[in-house]
């Protein structure tokens, strides 16, 4: 969560398209760093074994289905319509929906923490405050992505 939170704030603070592209590439580099380190430290034999691992097949022990069961399953599969939830579950990947929910969460978190509503209904950014200390508590670090759970103390006076 912390990487997604920092990455969202990192990209939301960018004001130009060029900066957005550069920051997105930098964020992609940071997110891919674990795979790069793992591939550099693994032996060639371990890499070969990982590339050739087969999927685990679950044998439920069920008998071979009869013609009647196969026909019933086929009729259920073809009974979809435009109002069928199964159709949309097949068309929209679940991982996409999860990523959309996570992205919406962090974008809403960003706006709720960094902006205040104005009189005309828009959002205005909050003034930037300096933290009282350069040290962060472990709880503030751990629960930082969750809004206002462990707030960081800031200096009230802006000079």
């Amino acid at each position: 969560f912390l990487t997604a939170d920092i990455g969202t704030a990192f990209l939301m603070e960018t004001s130009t398209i060029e900066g957005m592209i550069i920051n997105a590439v930098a964020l992609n580099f940071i997110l891919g760093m674990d795979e790069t380190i793992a591939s550099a430290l693994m032996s060639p034999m371990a890499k070969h074994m990982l590339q050739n691992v087969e999927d685990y097949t679950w044998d439920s022990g069920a008998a071979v289905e009869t013609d009647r069961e196969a026909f019933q399953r086929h009729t259920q599969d073809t009974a979809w319509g435009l109002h069928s939830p199964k159709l949309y579950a097949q068309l929209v990947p679940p991982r996409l929906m999860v990523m959309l929910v996570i992205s919406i969460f962090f974008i809403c978190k960003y706006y709720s923490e960094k902006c205040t509503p104005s009189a005309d209904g828009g959002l205005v950014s909050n003034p930037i405050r300096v933290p009282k200390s350069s040290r962060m508590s472990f709880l503030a670090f751990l629960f930082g992505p969750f809004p206002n759970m462990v707030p960081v103390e800031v200096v009230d006076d802006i000079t």
Side-chain angles (χ1 to χ4, degrees):
F1 272 139
L2 187 61
T3 306
D5 183 34
I6 300 293
T8 302
F10 189 60
L11 292 177
M12 295 293 283
E13 295 288 335
T14 306
S15 60
T16 62
I17 296 295
E18 295 86 10
M20 178 71 77
I21 293 170
I22 290 170
N23 288 344
V25 170
L27 187 60
N28 187 28
F29 174 76
I30 291 169
L31 292 175
M33 191 61 99
D34 61 336
E35 294 175 14
T36 305
I37 290 172
S39 68
L41 296 178
M42 285 194 328
S43 67
M45 188 57 160
K47 289 179 191 175
H48 176 73
M49 289 171 60
L50 278 177
Q51 289 174 350
N52 294 322
V53 169
E54 295 180 9
D55 290 337
Y56 180 74
T57 56
W58 180 263
D59 184 18
S60 63
V64 178
E65 66 181 350
T66 64
D67 290 339
R68 179 182 287 292
E69 292 169 344
F71 179 73
Q72 287 175 347
R73 188 171 50 84
H74 173 71
T75 55
Q76 288 175 350
D77 288 344
T78 57
W80 289 359
L82 287 177
H83 301 290
S84 171
K86 288 184 180 179
L87 173 66
Y88 296 108
Q90 290 290 325
L91 290 177
V92 180
R95 286 181 73 181
L96 174 65
M97 295 308 296
V98 168
M99 291 309 299
L100 282 175
V101 167
I102 290 172
S103 297
I104 289 169
F105 170 76
F106 283 112
I107 290 171
C108 290
K109 177 188 176 293
Y110 175 84
Y111 282 117
S112 70
E113 288 180 349
K114 310 271 188 204
C115 300
T116 55
S118 65
D120 65 351
L123 293 172
V124 178
S125 64
N126 294 332
I128 297 175
R129 304 274 192 229
V130 178
K132 285 186 177 178
S133 171
S134 62
R135 297 184 184 264
M136 178 185 284
S137 72
F138 181 71
L139 288 177
F141 171 76
L142 190 62
F143 295 112
F146 301 103
N148 301 323
M149 252 184 121
V150 183
V152 177
E153 294 183 24
V154 294
V155 176
D156 293 331
D157 186 29
I158 300 175
T159 56

